[in-house]
Amino acid sequence: MAYLLEGETGPWEIVVGLEVHAQVVSNAKLFSGAATAFGAEPNSQVSFVDAAFPGMLPVINEMCVEQAVRTGLGLKAKINLESVFARKNYFYADLPQGYQISQYEKPLVGEGQVIVDLPDGRSTVVGIERLHVEQDAGKSMHDQHPTKSCIDLNRSGVALMEIVSKPDIRSPDEAGAYLRKLRSILRYLGTCDGNMEEGSMRADVNVSVRKSGEDYRTRCEIKNVNSVRFVMQSIEVEARRQIEVYESGGSVDQETRLFDPGKGETRSMRSKEHAHDYRYFPDPDLLPLKLKPDFVAAIKDSLPELPDEKKDRFVRDYGLSPYDAGVLVVDRASADFFESVAKGRDSKLAANWVMGDFFGALNSTGKTIETSPVSAQNLGDLIDLIGDGTLSGRLAKDVFALMVETGKSPAALVEEKGLKQVTDTGAIEAVIDQVMAANADKVAEYRSGKDKLFGFFVGQVMKASGGKANPGMVNDLLKSKLAG
Amino acid sequence: MSDLTHLTIAEAEAGMDKGDFTSVELTKAHLAAMAKHKDLNAYITETPDQALAMAERSDKRRAGKQAGWLEGIPLAIKDLFCTEGVQTTAGSHILEGFKPPYESTVTANLWKQGAVMLGKVNLDEFAMGSSNMTSYYGAVKNPWKRQSDAKDLVPGGSSGGSAAAVAACIAMGATGTDTGGSIRQPAAFCGIVGIKPTYGRCSRFGIVAFASSLDQAGPMARTVKDAAIMLKAMAGHDPKDSTSTPGPTPDFTKAVGQSIKGLRVGVPKEYRPEGLSSEIVAAWDQGLAWLKEAGAEMVEVSLPHTKYALATYYIVAPAEASSNLARYDGVRFGLRVPGQSLDDMYMKTRAQGFGKEVKRRILIGTYVLSAGYYDAYYAKAQKLRTLIASDFKQAFTKADLLLTPTAPTPAFAIGENLDDPITMYLNDVFTIPTSLAGLPGLSLPAGLSADGLPLGLQLIGRPFDEETLFKAAAVMEQAAQFKRWEAR
């Protein structure tokens, strides 16, 4: 179902393209040796190059190039063996050079694509227009002093990848799914940590609306949106604004806007008179970046299995549904966790446990796979205890709850709490006899043809055994005893 | 001891090796001469204490048989090179008082070879000029005067302080930088030797940038051999400059004194425009005659795009400068003039901090890069630059080096040519094409004008073939017997 916004003049389609700024995972900045750790003391990670002192020159950090190439390959994109760094000129206090070194006409990475899985189960492809590498600016803080602004240059010069999508996105849901998928790919690749809260991933959102079948209309760019939810909200808010403008006879100006999540509106950031002319030109301090095919090939060979391939493999090798596989591969840790649990076991049962109780427990305790009290080994052992009949499904859930609480192994807990399933025929028969004796009237009714009472007896037996009786054995034994 | 300042670098090295005098003595002689020649305004900052301390350490190294190539030689440093802890102004008000916490690679290389720093010498503001008249720290006087009048003459620019200091013997040599002729033209005006090496030969790290794709450091000295010794020390690959060329640096001094028999000397016909002064033409012909006598052959070559070079340069260089100079914004170092807002502070700081010529070039550069004009100016200029470079490439299939005048006139008087920037820009008409092509160019004094002023000739070589230039220059120097001491 196409996503359409209903206006007074009928339905409107929305057209969205995203420019994602992803901070490259690397120890040093793009053109200097200064460190990049998050949360350091202001201005403690600044070299003379980052502060643009006279006579300082940029020198490309090979690690950042490698990361960007890796990302390009992960996005199934064309790697340009020759690319050019260009200067984007503008004045601002947190931009020490007075220009940002970026790439303009010749980016490092060309066209690629991202397969996006939508909540309704459909998949769609969002095209990648380009990926280029650029420097981040510093941070301006206007709230530290009544009349002065403070500048922190720790971020100045940190490497960013700007990943530009084609205008292929048609709904807020698609935008959200695209961002999540992109983040997932970047995390798999280890090229960006994807932490939107820390600012290591930010999005500029280009939105326009049109009537079905029309060409693109004028777009507005919503700058610097820093969460998936806000991206989705801002698209709808901006699209509705544009529809209103058109329907009241106005026209939309191409401009940059700011999303205010508190007020749920977008606002114009600067008027046309103040529009920047960035005067891009090739940076004469840097030679064109030339990559050897071997360099790219070596990175290609070292790529990890990415979410799409992993998902296909999970469907193929583990017999999972595409949906389940999709959930498990969102991040590498979950996928790896599942695989260690599933190894040599019933994979569907493993998937159910991982996605059900295990993810539920992580959610409710606020833990991650890395900090989880339940290891893959222990969860696998628990499943084994079900398989060999030591634990019933119900008991297993109790044991799991204890595992979450204590971090102990299931075997230890079974031992400790005496939760072992009763598989002793004599013991179960004794309980059955007891239940039948206490419910002689029901036994008679059953025998006179009221089969439905069988469930009642199973329940009573299980209850009397404290849930420990092996349900299969209870069934069999009960059936033959009731049959007289 | 005063004649110690009249020695060449090579002679001074020999003298100190023999124990005739020490670096401290040599340095003191120069400090005394500097005091006597303050009227030249060659130095912006003198560093006598540092000079003596460096000289003392140098004498110890020599005593310990650890002498470098420039051991104990007192040099002047163009105030465009960042020197750790020593004010570096770039000739601009906006950097007044700025003491870099780092050293440029080129000066560090000189100190590594034992050189002694006398101080920082004057230049056109941000190296933009051909007369040294745009310096915030005042004009520099050329030590030479015309026979016909007593007017003070310009030393040329932008490395005017360097050229005047070397010519006046208040430094044995000096560093210069050349973007469109800033080493070669002042060398010609002051009767000394200056070489702009191939782009990439010397590191630009720590040199205040004017136009990054053109800027190149080089030595200025009184003899060809001295220039060769200095360049050997200054050059070398630097991982801190992405445009510096990897590979070993040749021993340029070995080229000095070698035969030039069979060398093909190209004469570009486009460099003989109508109206070129007969004195310059005569000096040029004389230079060719010397080379011929030494066994070289003459060939005519053509550089058909020469007429576009000046226009190309005055698009490319200001474009890069407009961006390079954006960092002088009053935020982190240098001059800050307070304002009501950030924009106001920027405007006031840059309005007061930059001089007229710098502002002119920032405006030109901003204009040629702006939306709608980029293709008409900057992009076209880049294409011309390629054509100009290929002209040279073509010429070098027929010739091993080229000989041309360095400048169309001898030194002019202070105050002349100032009202019309174009006339001033024309002074670099012979040096600019070489800069655009990134080629090495050496200027040496070939004789005197009728009015008694030095005239320079320029040798242009293939990329990274400075050795051929030194070889030919040494032959011409021998023939010219230029009397450098005629400067006062």
Side-chain angles (χ1 to χ4, degrees), chain A residues 311-328:
Chain A
K311 180 182 164 187
D312 290 348
R313 183 167 61 81
F314 280 13
V315 170
R316 193 176 62 235
D317 292 1
Y318 294 110
L320 301 185
S321 72
Y323 176 82
D324 286 358
V327 171
L328 285 170

PDB file of all heavy atoms in Angstrom, chain A residues 311-328:
ATOM      1  N   LYS A 311      20.768 -12.971   6.642  1.00  0.00           N
ATOM      2  CA  LYS A 311      19.332 -13.259   6.699  1.00  0.00           C
ATOM      3  C   LYS A 311      19.001 -14.402   5.736  1.00  0.00           C
ATOM      4  O   LYS A 311      18.321 -15.370   6.111  1.00  0.00           O
ATOM      5  CB  LYS A 311      18.556 -12.000   6.315  1.00  0.00           C
ATOM      6  CG  LYS A 311      17.054 -12.178   6.337  1.00  0.00           C
ATOM      7  CD  LYS A 311      16.368 -10.884   5.904  1.00  0.00           C
ATOM      8  CE  LYS A 311      14.916 -11.153   5.551  1.00  0.00           C
ATOM      9  NZ  LYS A 311      14.274  -9.974   4.967  1.00  0.00           N
ATOM     10  N   ASP A 312      19.509 -14.294   4.510  1.00  0.00           N
ATOM     11  CA  ASP A 312      19.255 -15.353   3.528  1.00  0.00           C
ATOM     12  C   ASP A 312      19.754 -16.698   4.042  1.00  0.00           C
ATOM     13  O   ASP A 312      19.097 -17.725   3.892  1.00  0.00           O
ATOM     14  CB  ASP A 312      19.963 -15.028   2.199  1.00  0.00           C
ATOM     15  CG  ASP A 312      19.318 -13.856   1.490  1.00  0.00           C
ATOM     16  OD1 ASP A 312      18.202 -13.457   1.898  1.00  0.00           O
ATOM     17  OD2 ASP A 312      19.938 -13.319   0.550  1.00  0.00           O
ATOM     18  N   ARG A 313      20.925 -16.652   4.644  1.00  0.00           N
ATOM     19  CA  ARG A 313      21.504 -17.908   5.142  1.00  0.00           C
ATOM     20  C   ARG A 313      20.673 -18.474   6.291  1.00  0.00           C
ATOM     21  O   ARG A 313      20.451 -19.682   6.390  1.00  0.00           O
ATOM     22  CB  ARG A 313      22.950 -17.663   5.606  1.00  0.00           C
ATOM     23  CG  ARG A 313      23.662 -18.924   6.075  1.00  0.00           C
ATOM     24  CD  ARG A 313      25.152 -18.709   6.213  1.00  0.00           C
ATOM     25  NE  ARG A 313      25.508 -17.683   7.187  1.00  0.00           N
ATOM     26  CZ  ARG A 313      25.556 -17.881   8.512  1.00  0.00           C
ATOM     27  NH1 ARG A 313      25.265 -19.068   9.006  1.00  0.00           N
ATOM     28  NH2 ARG A 313      25.875 -16.901   9.327  1.00  0.00           N
ATOM     29  N   PHE A 314      20.176 -17.602   7.166  1.00  0.00           N
ATOM     30  CA  PHE A 314      19.370 -18.077   8.294  1.00  0.00           C
ATOM     31  C   PHE A 314      18.082 -18.744   7.786  1.00  0.00           C
ATOM     32  O   PHE A 314      17.631 -19.751   8.325  1.00  0.00           O
ATOM     33  CB  PHE A 314      19.019 -16.920   9.238  1.00  0.00           C
ATOM     34  CG  PHE A 314      20.136 -16.544  10.187  1.00  0.00           C
ATOM     35  CD1 PHE A 314      21.427 -17.025   9.983  1.00  0.00           C
ATOM     36  CD2 PHE A 314      19.890 -15.735  11.289  1.00  0.00           C
ATOM     37  CE1 PHE A 314      22.463 -16.680  10.857  1.00  0.00           C
ATOM     38  CE2 PHE A 314      20.904 -15.392  12.168  1.00  0.00           C
ATOM     39  CZ  PHE A 314      22.199 -15.861  11.954  1.00  0.00           C
ATOM     40  N   VAL A 315      17.500 -18.138   6.738  1.00  0.00           N
ATOM     41  CA  VAL A 315      16.291 -18.726   6.159  1.00  0.00           C
ATOM     42  C   VAL A 315      16.628 -20.085   5.546  1.00  0.00           C
ATOM     43  O   VAL A 315      15.939 -21.073   5.763  1.00  0.00           O
ATOM     44  CB  VAL A 315      15.686 -17.772   5.093  1.00  0.00           C
ATOM     45  CG1 VAL A 315      14.576 -18.472   4.323  1.00  0.00           C
ATOM     46  CG2 VAL A 315      15.179 -16.489   5.752  1.00  0.00           C
ATOM     47  N   ARG A 316      17.737 -20.085   4.815  1.00  0.00           N
ATOM     48  CA  ARG A 316      18.111 -21.288   4.071  1.00  0.00           C
ATOM     49  C   ARG A 316      18.594 -22.402   5.015  1.00  0.00           C
ATOM     50  O   ARG A 316      18.112 -23.520   4.993  1.00  0.00           O
ATOM     51  CB  ARG A 316      19.236 -20.914   3.105  1.00  0.00           C
ATOM     52  CG  ARG A 316      19.560 -21.927   2.023  1.00  0.00           C
ATOM     53  CD  ARG A 316      20.632 -21.366   1.093  1.00  0.00           C
ATOM     54  NE  ARG A 316      21.876 -21.100   1.806  1.00  0.00           N
ATOM     55  CZ  ARG A 316      22.503 -19.926   1.813  1.00  0.00           C
ATOM     56  NH1 ARG A 316      21.992 -18.899   1.151  1.00  0.00           N
ATOM     57  NH2 ARG A 316      23.625 -19.776   2.490  1.00  0.00           N
ATOM     58  N   ASP A 317      19.522 -22.067   5.906  1.00  0.00           N
ATOM     59  CA  ASP A 317      20.176 -23.102   6.707  1.00  0.00           C
ATOM     60  C   ASP A 317      19.420 -23.452   7.981  1.00  0.00           C
ATOM     61  O   ASP A 317      19.519 -24.560   8.485  1.00  0.00           O
ATOM     62  CB  ASP A 317      21.591 -22.670   7.085  1.00  0.00           C
ATOM     63  CG  ASP A 317      22.498 -22.602   5.874  1.00  0.00           C
ATOM     64  OD1 ASP A 317      21.997 -22.882   4.759  1.00  0.00           O
ATOM     65  OD2 ASP A 317      23.679 -22.251   6.032  1.00  0.00           O
ATOM     66  N   TYR A 318      18.700 -22.493   8.530  1.00  0.00           N
ATOM     67  CA  TYR A 318      18.033 -22.773   9.809  1.00  0.00           C
ATOM     68  C   TYR A 318      16.526 -22.911   9.651  1.00  0.00           C
ATOM     69  O   TYR A 318      15.823 -23.130  10.617  1.00  0.00           O
ATOM     70  CB  TYR A 318      18.322 -21.653  10.815  1.00  0.00           C
ATOM     71  CG  TYR A 318      19.772 -21.572  11.229  1.00  0.00           C
ATOM     72  CD1 TYR A 318      20.564 -20.513  10.814  1.00  0.00           C
ATOM     73  CD2 TYR A 318      20.336 -22.557  12.037  1.00  0.00           C
ATOM     74  CE1 TYR A 318      21.889 -20.419  11.196  1.00  0.00           C
ATOM     75  CE2 TYR A 318      21.671 -22.474  12.424  1.00  0.00           C
ATOM     76  CZ  TYR A 318      22.448 -21.407  12.000  1.00  0.00           C
ATOM     77  OH  TYR A 318      23.755 -21.336  12.380  1.00  0.00           O
ATOM     78  N   GLY A 319      16.051 -22.704   8.413  1.00  0.00           N
ATOM     79  CA  GLY A 319      14.615 -22.839   8.170  1.00  0.00           C
ATOM     80  C   GLY A 319      13.788 -21.778   8.873  1.00  0.00           C
ATOM     81  O   GLY A 319      12.613 -22.002   9.185  1.00  0.00           O
ATOM     82  N   LEU A 320      14.378 -20.633   9.155  1.00  0.00           N
ATOM     83  CA  LEU A 320      13.619 -19.574   9.835  1.00  0.00           C
ATOM     84  C   LEU A 320      12.743 -18.836   8.829  1.00  0.00           C
ATOM     85  O   LEU A 320      13.024 -18.826   7.624  1.00  0.00           O
ATOM     86  CB  LEU A 320      14.565 -18.573  10.483  1.00  0.00           C
ATOM     87  CG  LEU A 320      15.542 -19.095  11.522  1.00  0.00           C
ATOM     88  CD1 LEU A 320      16.316 -17.918  12.138  1.00  0.00           C
ATOM     89  CD2 LEU A 320      14.818 -19.865  12.626  1.00  0.00           C
ATOM     90  N   SER A 321      11.709 -18.202   9.338  1.00  0.00           N
ATOM     91  CA  SER A 321      10.909 -17.359   8.454  1.00  0.00           C
ATOM     92  C   SER A 321      11.728 -16.110   8.143  1.00  0.00           C
ATOM     93  O   SER A 321      12.581 -15.715   8.944  1.00  0.00           O
ATOM     94  CB  SER A 321       9.611 -16.954   9.155  1.00  0.00           C
ATOM     95  OG  SER A 321       9.909 -16.016  10.179  1.00  0.00           O
ATOM     96  N   PRO A 322      11.480 -15.493   6.977  1.00  0.00           N
ATOM     97  CA  PRO A 322      12.229 -14.271   6.655  1.00  0.00           C
ATOM     98  C   PRO A 322      12.080 -13.219   7.753  1.00  0.00           C
ATOM     99  O   PRO A 322      13.030 -12.501   8.062  1.00  0.00           O
ATOM    100  CB  PRO A 322      11.589 -13.785   5.352  1.00  0.00           C
ATOM    101  CG  PRO A 322      11.000 -15.011   4.744  1.00  0.00           C
ATOM    102  CD  PRO A 322      10.579 -15.883   5.895  1.00  0.00           C
ATOM    103  N   TYR A 323      10.898 -13.150   8.358  1.00  0.00           N
ATOM    104  CA  TYR A 323      10.698 -12.149   9.399  1.00  0.00           C
ATOM    105  C   TYR A 323      11.623 -12.427  10.592  1.00  0.00           C
ATOM    106  O   TYR A 323      12.347 -11.557  11.061  1.00  0.00           O
ATOM    107  CB  TYR A 323       9.236 -12.113   9.864  1.00  0.00           C
ATOM    108  CG  TYR A 323       9.050 -11.136  11.004  1.00  0.00           C
ATOM    109  CD1 TYR A 323       8.909  -9.771  10.740  1.00  0.00           C
ATOM    110  CD2 TYR A 323       9.077 -11.564  12.341  1.00  0.00           C
ATOM    111  CE1 TYR A 323       8.787  -8.859  11.768  1.00  0.00           C
ATOM    112  CE2 TYR A 323       8.963 -10.655  13.378  1.00  0.00           C
ATOM    113  CZ  TYR A 323       8.813  -9.310  13.093  1.00  0.00           C
ATOM    114  OH  TYR A 323       8.709  -8.412  14.112  1.00  0.00           O
ATOM    115  N   ASP A 324      11.580 -13.678  11.076  1.00  0.00           N
ATOM    116  CA  ASP A 324      12.423 -14.041  12.226  1.00  0.00           C
ATOM    117  C   ASP A 324      13.903 -13.804  11.904  1.00  0.00           C
ATOM    118  O   ASP A 324      14.651 -13.237  12.704  1.00  0.00           O
ATOM    119  CB  ASP A 324      12.230 -15.514  12.599  1.00  0.00           C
ATOM    120  CG  ASP A 324      10.889 -15.741  13.304  1.00  0.00           C
ATOM    121  OD1 ASP A 324      10.170 -14.730  13.515  1.00  0.00           O
ATOM    122  OD2 ASP A 324      10.571 -16.903  13.626  1.00  0.00           O
ATOM    123  N   ALA A 325      14.283 -14.231  10.713  1.00  0.00           N
ATOM    124  CA  ALA A 325      15.686 -14.066  10.326  1.00  0.00           C
ATOM    125  C   ALA A 325      16.042 -12.589  10.316  1.00  0.00           C
ATOM    126  O   ALA A 325      17.105 -12.175  10.793  1.00  0.00           O
ATOM    127  CB  ALA A 325      15.932 -14.679   8.958  1.00  0.00           C
ATOM    128  N   GLY A 326      15.111 -11.769   9.798  1.00  0.00           N
ATOM    129  CA  GLY A 326      15.346 -10.325   9.735  1.00  0.00           C
ATOM    130  C   GLY A 326      15.557  -9.731  11.114  1.00  0.00           C
ATOM    131  O   GLY A 326      16.428  -8.892  11.323  1.00  0.00           O
ATOM    132  N   VAL A 327      14.749 -10.178  12.077  1.00  0.00           N
ATOM    133  CA  VAL A 327      14.885  -9.655  13.443  1.00  0.00           C
ATOM    134  C   VAL A 327      16.234 -10.054  14.023  1.00  0.00           C
ATOM    135  O   VAL A 327      16.936  -9.239  14.627  1.00  0.00           O
ATOM    136  CB  VAL A 327      13.743 -10.184  14.338  1.00  0.00           C
ATOM    137  CG1 VAL A 327      14.001  -9.831  15.803  1.00  0.00           C
ATOM    138  CG2 VAL A 327      12.402  -9.636  13.870  1.00  0.00           C
ATOM    139  N   LEU A 328      16.621 -11.292  13.792  1.00  0.00           N
ATOM    140  CA  LEU A 328      17.863 -11.789  14.401  1.00  0.00           C
ATOM    141  C   LEU A 328      19.108 -11.129  13.824  1.00  0.00           C
ATOM    142  O   LEU A 328      20.105 -10.994  14.520  1.00  0.00           O
ATOM    143  CB  LEU A 328      17.952 -13.314  14.234  1.00  0.00           C
ATOM    144  CG  LEU A 328      17.024 -14.092  15.155  1.00  0.00           C
ATOM    145  CD1 LEU A 328      17.007 -15.563  14.757  1.00  0.00           C
ATOM    146  CD2 LEU A 328      17.454 -13.952  16.618  1.00  0.00           C
TER     147      LEU A 328
END
